[in-house]
Amino acid sequence: MKKYIIIFCIFSGFLYGSVLNYELYKKENSDGNTLLVIGGIHGDEPGGYFAPSVLVQNYTIKKGSLWIVPNLNFDSIVRTRRGIYGDMNRKFNSVKKSDKDYNTIQSIKKTILDKKVNLILNLHDGRGFYRHKWESSIFNPGAWGQAFIIDQTKLHKDIKFSNLDEIARKVSEDLNSDLVENHHSFNIKNTKTKEKDEQMQLSLTYFAITNNKPAFAVETSKNITELVKKVKYQLKAIESFMRIMNIEYERDFDLDNLDELSNILKKYKKVKINDRITLDLETIKSTNYYFPLKIDDNNFKFEHPLGAIVKYKGNYNFMIGNKRVGTLIPQYFEYCDSKEDIAIVIDNKKQIAQFGDIIEVEKNFKIEASDNFRVNVIGFSQDNIENENNLLISQNKILNRFAVDKEQKSFRVEFYDNSNKFCGMIIIKFK
Ligand SMILES: [Zn+2]
Protein backbone atom coordinates (compact mmCIF):
# COMPACT_ATOMS: atom_id res chain seq x y z
CA MET A 1 0.00 0.00 0.00
CA LYS A 2 1.27 3.42 -0.90
CA LYS A 3 1.69 5.78 2.00
CA TYR A 4 1.14 9.49 1.85
CA ILE A 5 2.59 11.90 4.27
CA ILE A 6 -0.08 14.34 5.17
CA ILE A 7 1.25 17.54 6.55
CA PHE A 8 -1.11 20.14 7.89
CA CYS A 9 0.53 23.33 8.83
CA ILE A 10 -0.27 26.97 9.20
CA PHE A 11 2.00 29.83 8.29
CA SER A 12 1.31 33.23 9.66
CA GLY A 13 2.34 36.20 7.63
CA PHE A 14 4.45 38.04 10.24
CA LEU A 15 3.45 41.27 8.62
CA TYR A 16 3.80 44.73 9.99
CA GLY A 17 1.72 46.95 7.73
CA SER A 18 -1.72 45.46 7.92
CA VAL A 19 -3.42 44.85 11.26
CA LEU A 20 -4.64 41.33 10.55
CA ASN A 21 -2.40 38.84 8.78
CA TYR A 22 -3.49 36.24 6.29
CA GLU A 23 -2.79 32.57 6.82
CA LEU A 24 -1.56 29.86 4.50
CA TYR A 25 -2.84 26.35 5.17
CA LYS A 26 -1.06 23.44 3.53
CA LYS A 27 -2.67 20.04 3.02
CA GLU A 28 0.18 18.08 1.54
CA ASN A 29 1.16 14.65 0.33
CA SER A 30 4.62 13.59 -0.68
CA ASP A 31 3.92 13.49 -4.41
CA GLY A 32 1.65 14.99 -7.06
CA ASN A 33 0.70 18.50 -8.15
CA THR A 34 0.09 21.49 -5.93
CA LEU A 35 -2.87 23.83 -6.31
CA LEU A 36 -2.69 27.21 -4.57
CA VAL A 37 -6.12 28.73 -3.84
CA ILE A 38 -6.14 32.39 -2.83
CA GLY A 39 -9.32 33.83 -1.34
CA GLY A 40 -10.28 37.24 -0.07
CA ILE A 41 -8.14 39.60 -2.15
CA HIS A 42 -11.28 41.78 -2.22
CA GLY A 43 -12.99 42.15 1.14
CA ASP A 44 -16.48 42.77 -0.26
CA GLU A 45 -16.59 39.46 -2.17
CA PRO A 46 -17.65 36.86 0.43
CA GLY A 47 -17.96 33.96 -2.05
CA GLY A 48 -14.23 34.41 -2.54
CA TYR A 49 -13.35 33.87 1.11
CA PHE A 50 -16.06 31.65 2.60
CA ALA A 51 -15.41 28.98 -0.07
CA PRO A 52 -11.72 28.57 0.88
CA SER A 53 -12.66 28.55 4.57
CA VAL A 54 -14.73 25.43 3.80
CA LEU A 55 -11.73 23.94 1.97
CA VAL A 56 -9.64 24.44 5.09
CA GLN A 57 -12.18 22.93 7.44
CA ASN A 58 -14.02 20.24 5.51
CA TYR A 59 -11.64 18.77 2.92
CA THR A 60 -8.97 16.08 3.17
CA ILE A 61 -6.39 15.71 0.42
CA LYS A 62 -5.43 12.11 -0.46
CA LYS A 63 -3.07 12.70 -3.36
CA GLY A 64 -1.25 15.85 -4.45
CA SER A 65 -1.36 19.04 -2.39
CA LEU A 66 -3.74 21.88 -1.76
CA TRP A 67 -2.44 25.15 -0.37
CA ILE A 68 -5.13 27.54 0.82
CA VAL A 69 -5.10 31.23 1.72
CA PRO A 70 -8.69 31.99 2.76
CA ASN A 71 -8.17 35.59 3.83
CA LEU A 72 -5.48 37.43 1.85
CA ASN A 73 -6.90 40.91 2.45
CA PHE A 74 -8.08 40.24 6.01
CA ASP A 75 -8.29 43.90 7.11
CA SER A 76 -10.72 44.57 4.25
CA ILE A 77 -12.71 41.34 4.75
CA VAL A 78 -13.67 42.19 8.33
CA ARG A 79 -14.93 45.56 7.09
CA THR A 80 -16.64 44.26 3.92
CA ARG A 81 -14.61 46.72 1.84
CA ARG A 82 -12.97 46.01 -1.52
CA GLY A 83 -9.64 47.31 -0.25
CA ILE A 84 -9.21 49.62 2.73
CA TYR A 85 -5.68 50.43 1.57
CA GLY A 86 -6.66 50.59 -2.12
CA ASP A 87 -7.22 47.76 -4.58
CA MET A 88 -4.83 44.97 -3.59
CA ASN A 89 -5.25 43.33 -6.98
CA ARG A 90 -3.59 46.34 -8.64
CA LYS A 91 -0.36 46.14 -6.66
CA PHE A 92 1.34 43.09 -8.17
CA ASN A 93 3.41 44.99 -10.71
CA SER A 94 4.83 47.41 -8.19
CA VAL A 95 3.97 48.45 -4.66
CA LYS A 96 5.54 51.12 -2.48
CA LYS A 97 7.27 50.10 0.72
CA SER A 98 5.08 52.55 2.62
CA ASP A 99 1.92 50.83 1.31
CA LYS A 100 0.05 48.95 4.07
CA ASP A 101 -0.37 46.02 1.68
CA TYR A 102 3.37 45.90 0.94
CA ASN A 103 4.21 42.96 3.20
CA THR A 104 1.15 40.99 2.15
CA ILE A 105 2.06 41.44 -1.52
CA GLN A 106 5.71 40.48 -1.01
CA SER A 107 4.90 37.36 0.97
CA ILE A 108 2.09 36.07 -1.29
CA LYS A 109 4.34 36.64 -4.33
CA LYS A 110 6.91 34.35 -2.73
CA THR A 111 4.27 31.65 -2.27
CA ILE A 112 3.04 32.05 -5.86
CA LEU A 113 6.61 31.59 -7.09
CA ASP A 114 7.28 28.57 -4.86
CA LYS A 115 8.55 25.85 -7.16
CA LYS A 116 6.05 23.36 -5.74
CA VAL A 117 3.05 25.42 -6.91
CA ASN A 118 1.70 24.26 -10.29
CA LEU A 119 -1.46 26.32 -10.62
CA ILE A 120 -3.05 29.29 -8.88
CA LEU A 121 -6.69 30.29 -8.42
CA ASN A 122 -7.66 33.78 -7.32
CA LEU A 123 -11.27 33.83 -6.06
CA HIS A 124 -13.71 36.70 -6.56
CA ASP A 125 -17.38 37.73 -6.63
CA GLY A 126 -17.72 39.87 -9.73
CA ARG A 127 -20.33 42.30 -10.93
CA GLY A 128 -23.21 40.99 -13.11
CA PHE A 129 -22.98 37.96 -15.38
CA TYR A 130 -20.28 37.88 -18.03
CA ARG A 131 -21.57 37.21 -21.56
CA HIS A 132 -19.65 37.41 -24.82
CA LYS A 133 -22.43 39.54 -26.36
CA TRP A 134 -24.42 42.38 -24.82
CA GLU A 135 -27.82 41.17 -23.57
CA SER A 136 -28.66 43.66 -20.83
CA SER A 137 -27.05 45.89 -18.24
CA ILE A 138 -26.46 42.82 -16.07
CA PHE A 139 -25.59 40.24 -18.73
CA ASN A 140 -22.85 41.67 -20.94
CA PRO A 141 -19.17 41.62 -21.91
CA GLY A 142 -18.28 44.28 -19.33
CA ALA A 143 -19.54 42.13 -16.44
CA TRP A 144 -17.25 39.82 -14.46
CA GLY A 145 -19.55 37.43 -12.57
CA GLN A 146 -19.88 33.71 -13.36
CA ALA A 147 -16.68 33.61 -15.39
CA PHE A 148 -13.22 32.15 -15.49
CA ILE A 149 -10.82 34.95 -16.23
CA ILE A 150 -7.66 34.24 -18.19
CA ASP A 151 -5.07 36.81 -19.23
CA GLN A 152 -4.20 35.01 -22.46
CA THR A 153 -4.98 31.74 -24.25
CA LYS A 154 -1.87 29.93 -23.09
CA LEU A 155 1.51 30.39 -21.49
CA HIS A 156 4.44 30.71 -23.85
CA LYS A 157 6.54 28.22 -21.97
CA ASP A 158 5.58 24.60 -22.46
CA ILE A 159 4.87 23.60 -18.87
CA LYS A 160 2.13 21.61 -17.17
CA PHE A 161 -1.29 23.31 -17.30
CA SER A 162 -0.04 26.03 -19.66
CA ASN A 163 -3.13 25.76 -21.83
CA LEU A 164 -5.27 28.21 -19.89
CA ASP A 165 -8.13 28.45 -22.37
CA GLU A 166 -8.54 24.71 -22.72
CA ILE A 167 -8.51 24.16 -18.95
CA ALA A 168 -11.01 26.97 -18.32
CA ARG A 169 -13.24 25.47 -20.99
CA LYS A 170 -13.23 22.06 -19.29
CA VAL A 171 -14.00 23.56 -15.88
CA SER A 172 -16.83 25.73 -17.16
CA GLU A 173 -18.39 22.76 -19.01
CA ASP A 174 -18.20 20.88 -15.74
CA LEU A 175 -20.00 23.63 -13.86
CA ASN A 176 -22.57 24.35 -16.54
CA SER A 177 -23.75 20.75 -16.48
CA ASP A 178 -25.14 21.33 -12.99
CA LEU A 179 -26.42 24.86 -12.27
CA VAL A 180 -28.76 25.97 -9.48
CA GLU A 181 -30.45 28.27 -12.02
CA ASN A 182 -29.89 28.40 -15.78
CA HIS A 183 -28.81 32.03 -15.93
CA HIS A 184 -25.90 31.18 -13.58
CA SER A 185 -23.97 29.65 -16.48
CA PHE A 186 -20.21 30.27 -16.60
CA ASN A 187 -18.23 31.69 -19.50
CA ILE A 188 -14.57 32.34 -20.19
CA LYS A 189 -13.39 35.90 -20.22
CA ASN A 190 -10.02 36.39 -21.86
CA THR A 191 -8.85 39.87 -20.91
CA LYS A 192 -5.92 39.66 -23.39
CA THR A 193 -4.07 41.50 -20.70
CA LYS A 194 -0.77 42.04 -22.46
CA GLU A 195 -2.25 43.82 -25.47
CA LYS A 196 -5.45 45.30 -24.13
CA ASP A 197 -5.72 45.65 -20.40
CA GLU A 198 -3.27 47.89 -18.60
CA GLN A 199 -5.21 47.57 -15.32
CA MET A 200 -5.03 43.79 -15.38
CA GLN A 201 -1.27 43.99 -15.94
CA LEU A 202 -1.08 44.99 -12.29
CA SER A 203 -3.05 41.95 -11.07
CA LEU A 204 -2.13 38.79 -9.20
CA THR A 205 -2.88 36.42 -12.08
CA TYR A 206 -0.82 38.48 -14.56
CA PHE A 207 2.11 38.48 -12.12
CA ALA A 208 1.76 34.70 -11.94
CA ILE A 209 1.56 34.00 -15.67
CA THR A 210 4.44 36.34 -16.51
CA ASN A 211 6.44 34.20 -14.11
CA ASN A 212 5.32 31.04 -15.90
CA LYS A 213 2.77 30.03 -13.29
CA PRO A 214 -0.63 29.08 -14.73
CA ALA A 215 -3.29 31.20 -13.01
CA PHE A 216 -7.03 31.82 -13.27
CA ALA A 217 -9.48 34.11 -11.56
CA VAL A 218 -12.69 32.35 -10.56
CA GLU A 219 -15.58 34.81 -10.40
CA THR A 220 -18.99 34.08 -8.99
CA SER A 221 -21.57 36.86 -9.24
CA LYS A 222 -22.34 39.65 -6.77
CA ASN A 223 -25.85 39.47 -8.27
CA ILE A 224 -26.33 36.03 -6.75
CA THR A 225 -27.32 37.20 -3.31
CA GLU A 226 -27.29 33.90 -1.43
CA LEU A 227 -23.79 33.20 -0.15
CA VAL A 228 -24.34 29.45 -0.11
CA LYS A 229 -24.87 29.31 -3.89
CA LYS A 230 -21.71 31.28 -4.59
CA VAL A 231 -19.72 29.05 -2.26
CA LYS A 232 -21.13 25.97 -3.97
CA TYR A 233 -19.98 27.24 -7.39
CA GLN A 234 -16.56 28.22 -6.10
CA LEU A 235 -16.06 24.79 -4.53
CA LYS A 236 -17.31 23.01 -7.66
CA ALA A 237 -14.81 25.00 -9.72
CA ILE A 238 -11.93 24.24 -7.34
CA GLU A 239 -12.83 20.54 -7.33
CA SER A 240 -12.88 20.54 -11.13
CA PHE A 241 -9.38 22.08 -11.20
CA MET A 242 -8.23 19.47 -8.67
CA ARG A 243 -9.50 16.66 -10.91
CA ILE A 244 -7.64 18.12 -13.89
CA MET A 245 -4.51 18.27 -11.72
CA ASN A 246 -4.98 14.72 -10.49
CA ILE A 247 -5.33 15.91 -6.89
CA GLU A 248 -7.51 13.50 -4.92
CA TYR A 249 -9.77 14.91 -2.22
CA GLU A 250 -12.51 13.96 0.17
CA ARG A 251 -15.03 16.24 1.81
CA ASP A 252 -17.19 15.52 4.83
CA PHE A 253 -20.46 16.83 3.41
CA ASP A 254 -22.68 16.65 0.31
CA LEU A 255 -21.92 19.60 -1.95
CA ASP A 256 -25.22 19.18 -3.80
CA ASN A 257 -27.18 19.66 -0.61
CA LEU A 258 -27.51 23.44 -0.18
CA ASP A 259 -29.05 23.11 3.30
CA GLU A 260 -26.06 21.12 4.51
CA LEU A 261 -23.59 23.59 3.02
CA SER A 262 -25.57 26.44 4.48
CA ASN A 263 -25.27 24.87 7.95
CA ILE A 264 -21.53 24.51 7.48
CA LEU A 265 -21.29 28.23 6.68
CA LYS A 266 -23.04 29.00 9.98
CA LYS A 267 -20.60 26.96 12.05
CA TYR A 268 -18.63 29.79 13.61
CA LYS A 269 -17.07 27.44 16.19
CA LYS A 270 -15.34 28.65 19.34
CA VAL A 271 -12.92 31.34 20.44
CA LYS A 272 -10.45 31.00 23.30
CA ILE A 273 -9.59 34.21 25.12
CA ASN A 274 -6.30 34.61 26.97
CA ASP A 275 -6.24 30.83 27.43
CA ARG A 276 -8.75 31.24 30.28
CA ILE A 277 -12.15 31.73 28.68
CA THR A 278 -13.93 29.84 25.89
CA LEU A 279 -17.00 31.20 24.11
CA ASP A 280 -19.16 29.38 21.60
CA LEU A 281 -19.63 31.79 18.70
CA GLU A 282 -22.47 29.76 17.22
CA THR A 283 -24.77 30.57 20.11
CA ILE A 284 -23.28 33.75 21.57
CA LYS A 285 -25.70 36.58 22.17
CA SER A 286 -25.26 39.83 20.31
CA THR A 287 -23.75 41.80 23.21
CA ASN A 288 -22.16 40.66 26.47
CA TYR A 289 -21.47 43.32 29.10
CA TYR A 290 -18.80 43.73 31.81
CA PHE A 291 -16.64 41.09 30.23
CA PRO A 292 -13.31 40.56 32.04
CA LEU A 293 -10.49 41.43 29.63
CA LYS A 294 -7.00 42.84 30.00
CA ILE A 295 -6.48 46.46 29.09
CA ASP A 296 -4.19 45.34 26.26
CA ASP A 297 -2.45 42.27 24.82
CA ASN A 298 -5.57 40.15 24.85
CA ASN A 299 -5.12 36.95 22.93
CA PHE A 300 -8.04 35.59 20.88
CA LYS A 301 -7.68 32.16 19.30
CA PHE A 302 -10.42 31.37 16.80
CA GLU A 303 -11.19 27.87 15.57
CA HIS A 304 -12.70 29.31 12.38
CA PRO A 305 -10.15 30.38 9.72
CA LEU A 306 -11.99 33.67 9.13
CA GLY A 307 -12.25 34.53 12.83
CA ALA A 308 -10.89 37.90 13.97
CA ILE A 309 -11.36 40.59 16.58
CA VAL A 310 -12.13 44.10 15.47
CA LYS A 311 -11.97 46.73 18.18
CA TYR A 312 -14.52 49.45 17.64
CA LYS A 313 -15.24 52.34 20.01
CA GLY A 314 -13.69 50.43 22.90
CA ASN A 315 -15.74 47.28 22.27
CA TYR A 316 -14.55 43.96 20.89
CA ASN A 317 -16.41 42.62 17.86
CA PHE A 318 -16.07 38.94 16.99
CA MET A 319 -15.93 38.67 13.22
CA ILE A 320 -16.24 35.57 11.05
CA GLY A 321 -15.26 36.96 7.67
CA ASN A 322 -17.49 39.99 7.16
CA LYS A 323 -20.12 38.83 9.68
CA ARG A 324 -20.20 40.25 13.18
CA VAL A 325 -21.29 37.37 15.38
CA GLY A 326 -21.04 38.98 18.81
CA THR A 327 -19.66 41.90 20.80
CA LEU A 328 -17.96 42.13 24.18
CA ILE A 329 -18.21 45.30 26.25
CA PRO A 330 -15.11 44.96 28.40
CA GLN A 331 -14.47 45.53 32.04
CA TYR A 332 -10.74 45.67 32.45
CA PHE A 333 -8.96 43.55 35.04
CA GLU A 334 -5.47 42.54 35.82
CA TYR A 335 -5.15 38.80 35.33
CA CYS A 336 -3.73 36.57 38.06
CA ASP A 337 -1.09 33.92 37.37
CA SER A 338 -2.88 31.01 39.02
CA LYS A 339 -4.25 28.28 36.81
CA GLU A 340 -5.13 25.62 39.36
CA ASP A 341 -7.81 23.00 38.70
CA ILE A 342 -11.30 23.63 39.99
CA ALA A 343 -13.49 20.94 41.55
CA ILE A 344 -17.15 21.16 40.56
CA VAL A 345 -20.04 18.99 41.60
CA ILE A 346 -22.23 18.54 38.54
CA ASP A 347 -25.61 16.89 39.14
CA ASN A 348 -24.22 15.25 42.30
CA LYS A 349 -21.02 14.04 40.59
CA LYS A 350 -17.72 15.64 41.41
CA GLN A 351 -15.40 16.48 38.53
CA ILE A 352 -12.28 18.50 37.88
CA ALA A 353 -12.42 21.45 35.50
CA GLN A 354 -10.02 24.00 34.08
CA PHE A 355 -10.47 27.65 33.23
CA GLY A 356 -11.83 27.88 29.72
CA ASP A 357 -14.04 24.78 30.03
CA ILE A 358 -17.66 24.72 28.95
CA ILE A 359 -19.49 22.24 31.18
CA GLU A 360 -22.92 20.76 30.55
CA VAL A 361 -25.28 20.54 33.50
CA GLU A 362 -28.64 18.84 33.81
CA LYS A 363 -30.02 20.18 37.12
CA ASN A 364 -27.50 21.92 39.32
CA PHE A 365 -23.86 22.56 40.13
CA LYS A 366 -21.67 23.49 43.05
CA ILE A 367 -18.24 25.04 42.71
CA GLU A 368 -15.75 23.65 45.21
CA ALA A 369 -12.76 25.87 44.53
CA SER A 370 -9.91 26.40 46.99
CA ASP A 371 -9.84 29.38 49.32
CA ASN A 372 -7.53 31.12 46.86
CA PHE A 373 -10.56 32.17 44.86
CA ARG A 374 -13.63 34.30 45.12
CA VAL A 375 -16.30 32.79 42.87
CA ASN A 376 -18.83 34.94 41.05
CA VAL A 377 -21.71 33.27 39.21
CA ILE A 378 -22.91 36.05 36.94
CA GLY A 379 -26.66 36.56 37.31
CA PHE A 380 -26.88 34.77 40.67
CA SER A 381 -27.06 36.56 43.98
CA GLN A 382 -27.94 35.70 47.52
CA ASP A 383 -28.13 38.20 50.35
CA ASN A 384 -24.95 38.72 52.35
CA ILE A 385 -22.92 36.34 50.23
CA GLU A 386 -19.79 37.68 48.50
CA ASN A 387 -18.21 34.42 47.51
CA GLU A 388 -20.46 32.02 45.61
CA ASN A 389 -18.17 29.09 46.24
CA ASN A 390 -19.74 25.97 47.77
CA LEU A 391 -23.32 26.87 46.93
CA LEU A 392 -25.67 24.48 45.16
CA ILE A 393 -27.07 26.43 42.20
CA SER A 394 -29.76 25.51 39.68
CA GLN A 395 -30.78 27.45 36.58
CA ASN A 396 -33.86 29.00 38.18
CA LYS A 397 -31.56 30.81 40.64
CA ILE A 398 -29.79 32.67 37.83
CA LEU A 399 -31.36 35.56 35.93
CA ASN A 400 -31.73 34.61 32.25
CA ARG A 401 -30.67 37.99 30.97
CA PHE A 402 -27.15 37.32 32.25
CA ALA A 403 -26.72 34.32 29.94
CA VAL A 404 -23.90 34.55 27.40
CA ASP A 405 -25.93 32.82 24.70
CA LYS A 406 -29.10 33.57 22.73
CA GLU A 407 -30.82 30.46 24.06
CA GLN A 408 -30.21 31.68 27.65
CA LYS A 409 -28.74 28.39 28.81
CA SER A 410 -25.07 29.24 29.29
CA PHE A 411 -23.76 31.23 32.25
CA ARG A 412 -20.44 32.68 33.36
CA VAL A 413 -18.70 31.47 36.48
CA GLU A 414 -15.77 33.78 37.20
CA PHE A 415 -12.85 33.27 39.51
CA TYR A 416 -10.95 36.11 41.21
CA ASP A 417 -8.04 36.04 43.60
CA ASN A 418 -7.79 37.86 46.94
CA SER A 419 -6.53 41.05 45.31
CA ASN A 420 -9.45 41.02 42.85
CA LYS A 421 -7.39 39.91 39.86
CA PHE A 422 -9.33 37.88 37.31
CA CYS A 423 -8.10 34.27 37.12
CA GLY A 424 -10.45 32.54 34.71
CA MET A 425 -13.95 31.62 33.65
CA ILE A 426 -15.90 28.40 33.35
CA ILE A 427 -19.14 28.37 31.35
CA ILE A 428 -21.97 26.33 32.81
CA LYS A 429 -24.32 25.22 30.06
CA PHE A 430 -27.72 23.90 31.13
CA LYS A 431 -29.10 21.18 28.87
ZN1 LIG B 1 -12.64 40.84 -6.95
Side-chain angles (χ1 to χ4, degrees), residues 377-400:
V377 179
I378 307 298
F380 170 87
S381 73
Q382 198 166 310
D383 287 347
N384 305 320
I385 290 186
E386 268 280 300
N387 187 349
E388 289 153 0
N389 203 13
N390 287 309
L391 293 178
L392 189 67
I393 298 173
S394 52
Q395 190 179 349
N396 59 11
K397 300 269 174 60
I398 311 178
L399 295 172
N400 280 341

Side-chain angles (χ1 to χ4, degrees), residues 138 151 252 304 362:
I138 297 172
D151 293 285
D252 60 8
H304 194 288
E362 191 97 44

Side-chain angles (χ1 to χ4, degrees), residues 41-42 44-45 82 89 123-126 219 222:
I41 195 168
H42 290 143
D44 59 347
E45 300 178 9
R82 182 175 176 85
N89 204 24
L123 313 184
H124 297 260
D125 280 334
E219 302 257 7
K222 281 191 166 113

